[in-house]
Amino acid sequence: MKKLTLSLITLALAGVSNAAFADTLRMECPISPGGKEYCKYVKDRFEKQTSNKLEFIEFPAASDEKLALLQQLFAAKDEKAVDLFQSDTIWVGLLDKQTLDLTDAVGDMKGDFFPGPWANDTVNGKVKAVPAYLDTGVLYYRKDLLEKYNEQPPKTWEDLTRIATKIQDEERKAGHKNFWGMIFQGKSYEGLTCNALEWIDSYGGGTFIDEKGNVTVNNPKAAAALDMVAGWMGKITPKGALGYKEEESRAVFQNGDALFMRNWPYAYLLSQGADSPLKGKVGVAPLPAGPDGKSANALGGWQWSVNANTKNKDAAIALLKILTDADSQKMQLKYLGFAPTRSALYEDKAVLEAAPHLTMFKEIFANAVPRPATATKSQYPRVSNAIYNVTFKVLNGGSDGKTAVADLQKRLERVKGKDWH
C-alpha cells in the first residue's frame, strides 16, 4: 500500500506543468511501444480542434496495480490526476460509480462498434465506456499438419477432439513423443474463467450469470461442457496445462508441440516472427461450436472511460470522441498494433493492407461474449474466483460437471446475496 501511495503522489505530479488551469486535460498514454507517437497524434488533433491543452500520464503496466491506483485516486476524488483512462473489460461494472455516464454523448455510436464490447460497456442501460481495442479467445491450428492428414479446421468441439486424437497419435508414432492435440490456459486464474465461459456458452449453458443478474450456471449443458474438457486431460491435453497461462501455452504451441491452441490474438503475430519455427504454418479460426452450433469467444480488450470527477466534461467527451473515431483507431493500429473496435474498419482497404491478418478476426470479434463482470459490478473478482476454482477442480479430476455446476450455483448465489453491488 505504501508503494502505491507513493505512486499516487508521483502520478498526480507527473508531467503536470499547467495544473492550475481547468482547460488542461490529462489522459492515460499507453506505455506499449509506439505509445508516445500515438499520443502525440492525439494531442495534436485535440489541441487543434479545441481550446484545451492535453497532457499525459502513465499507469503501472500490471492490471491489478493499475486498478489499485485508480481506486486510490477515486477515493481521494483527485480530479487533477486523470480525466480519461483505459479500463479493463472486467472493470466497467466495478468502476460504475467512478466513471461518467456517456449515454447522451455517445449513445448514437452504438451501431458503429462490435456488439459484444458495446454491451460490456453498458451498465444498467447506461453507456459507461467506449471500446478502445479488441481481444477475444481464438483457436490456433497447424495448417501444415491438417493438410498432411487431410483434415479441415474443426467446426465443433467434437470435430476438434477427433482430429486432435488422430493427429496426436500419428505424430507420436512418427517420433514426436511430446506432441499434444489441444492446449489452453488451465491454471486457476482469470484466464481459466475465460476458457470456461467459452466452453459452457458454446454448449448452450449460458454465461454463469445473465444480463439481469440471475445465476444460471446449474444446468445440464454447462455440466456437459465441463465434462467434455475433463475428458481431454491426459489424453489430448497434457496435465501440465493445469499450470499454463497465456505464455506457457504459446511456448508449447510455437515450439511445434501442439496441434490446436486456445489463446488471444497477440499470439498470431508472434507465431509469424522471423525466429518462429511455425512461420507460415499457423491458421486462426473462431473457437469450435457446441452441439447446437454455437461458437463463443470470450471478450477481452480495453475501454476508454472518463473520470466522473473531471472538471471539464465537455472537453473530456470531445477527447473521447477523437480517441474512438475511425482515424484514431487506424493510427492506434499503426503505432500500437491494437485491433480496432469499429466494425467497418475490417472492410477498410488501408487497414487490411496494413494488417491483412485482421480479416481472420472479424468473425471472431463479432461473436465476442463478455464475462459476467458488468452485471456483478464490484463483486466480479469473487465471481471469477469461484468460476475458475470450480472449473479447475473438474479438470484435475476432483469433481464432475454435474456436481461442479451445482456447487458453483450455490457459491455465486452466496456472493450475490440480496443483489449485486
Side-chain angles (χ1 to χ4, degrees), residues 19 41 64 100 114 137 146 163 189 209 362 401 406:
Y41 155 81
D64 56 345
L100 197 64
F114 286 106
L146 291 187
I163 296 167
Y189 80 117
I209 295 157
K362 182 179 181 183

Side-chain angles (χ1 to χ4, degrees), residues 68-392:
L69 185 51
L70 279 169
Q71 290 175 320
Q72 285 194 29
L73 295 176
F74 295 139
K77 295 185 178 180
D78 186 352
E79 75 278 356
K80 294 180 181 180
V82 64
D83 295 282
L84 275 86
F85 62 94
Q86 287 190 351
S87 295
D88 195 340
T89 295
I90 57 175
W91 296 352
V92 179
L94 176 66
L95 300 180
D96 179 26
K97 295 179 181 178
Q98 289 79 37
T99 51
L100 197 64
D101 179 2
L102 304 168
T103 309
D104 292 340
V106 303
D108 60 349
M109 292 162 46
K110 177 179 179 179
D112 298 332
F113 292 80
F114 286 106
W118 193 270
N120 180 84
D121 294 353
T122 304
V123 183
N124 296 328
K126 297 178 180 180
V127 181
K128 300 308 298 281
V130 178
Y133 63 90
L134 280 176
D135 223 0
T136 66
V138 174
L139 181 71
Y140 290 89
Y141 60 89
R142 288 281 300 275
K143 294 191 296 185
D144 56 328
L145 292 179
L146 291 187
E147 183 178 353
K148 177 180 177 181
Y149 293 103
N150 196 29
E151 294 286 356
Q152 298 294 319
K155 297 293 186 184
T156 66
W157 293 115
E158 185 178 10
D159 289 341
L160 181 144
T161 304
R162 177 188 63 79
I163 296 167
T165 301
K166 170 186 170 181
I167 295 180
Q168 176 182 296
D169 288 349
E170 293 298 323
E171 285 294 294
R172 289 185 176 185
K173 287 178 185 176
H176 197 161
K177 300 299 184 184
N178 61 337
F179 188 82
W180 292 94
M182 173 62 176
I183 55 172
F184 56 87
Q185 296 74 52
K187 189 178 178 69
S188 190
Y189 80 117
E190 183 68 26
L192 184 54
T193 294
C194 296
N195 280 263
L197 171 68
E198 292 161 347
W199 301 326
I200 289 174
D201 194 40
S202 69
Y203 257 65
T207 55
F208 307 104
I209 295 157
D210 67 18
E211 293 179 357
K212 296 180 180 180
N214 301 307
V215 181
T216 61
V217 70
N218 188 12
N219 64 79
K221 292 182 177 180
L226 294 180
D227 285 336
M228 170 197 71
V229 182
W232 294 347
M233 304 308 298
K235 295 180 181 177
I236 61 171
T237 298
K239 291 184 178 179
L242 295 176
Y244 290 0
K245 295 172 78 172
E246 284 80 1
E247 278 298 276
E248 291 85 356
S249 305
R250 186 180 70 82
V252 173
F253 183 77
Q254 195 161 320
N255 194 46
D257 292 331
L259 175 65
F260 296 120
M261 172 181 69
R262 182 270 180 210
N263 213 321
W264 304 93
Y266 85 98
Y268 179 75
L269 291 180
L270 294 175
S271 76
Q272 300 309 297
D275 60 346
S276 171
L278 300 187
K279 185 176 182 180
K281 299 178 180 179
V282 177
V284 175
L287 289 163
D292 298 328
K294 180 180 182 181
S295 175
N297 308 277
L299 176 67
W302 291 76
Q303 334 295 317
W304 283 112
S305 298
V306 178
N307 187 345
N309 290 318
T310 182
K311 292 300 184 182
N312 197 333
K313 294 182 180 179
D314 291 341
I317 288 169
L319 177 56
L320 175 71
K321 289 183 176 181
I322 289 173
L323 285 166
T324 57
D325 71 14
D327 287 341
S328 279
Q329 293 212 346
K330 289 181 182 180
M331 299 303 284
Q332 181 179 252
L333 175 64
K334 175 182 177 181
Y335 288 123
L336 297 163
F338 293 163
T341 55
R342 288 178 168 265
S343 55
L345 291 179
Y346 290 76
E347 307 290 341
D348 186 283
K349 184 178 179 181
V351 168
L352 297 181
E353 285 180 354
H357 66 281
L358 287 181
T359 57
M360 297 184 289
F361 291 109
K362 182 179 181 183
E363 180 185 354
I364 299 170
F365 290 155
N367 292 325
V369 179
R371 281 162 275 175
T374 302
T376 57
K377 302 178 182 178
S378 65
Q379 291 161 291
Y380 177 74
R382 293 177 65 197
V383 167
S384 182
N385 182 277
I387 292 169
Y388 61 68
N389 281 323
V390 167
T391 302
F392 185 84

Side-chain angles (χ1 to χ4, degrees), residues 402-418:
K402 183 178 179 179
T403 303
V405 296
D407 178 28
L408 184 54
Q409 181 85 17
K410 292 177 183 177
R411 291 193 190 198
L412 295 180
E413 287 177 346
R414 282 199 299 270
V415 173
K416 178 181 180 181
K418 292 184 179 180

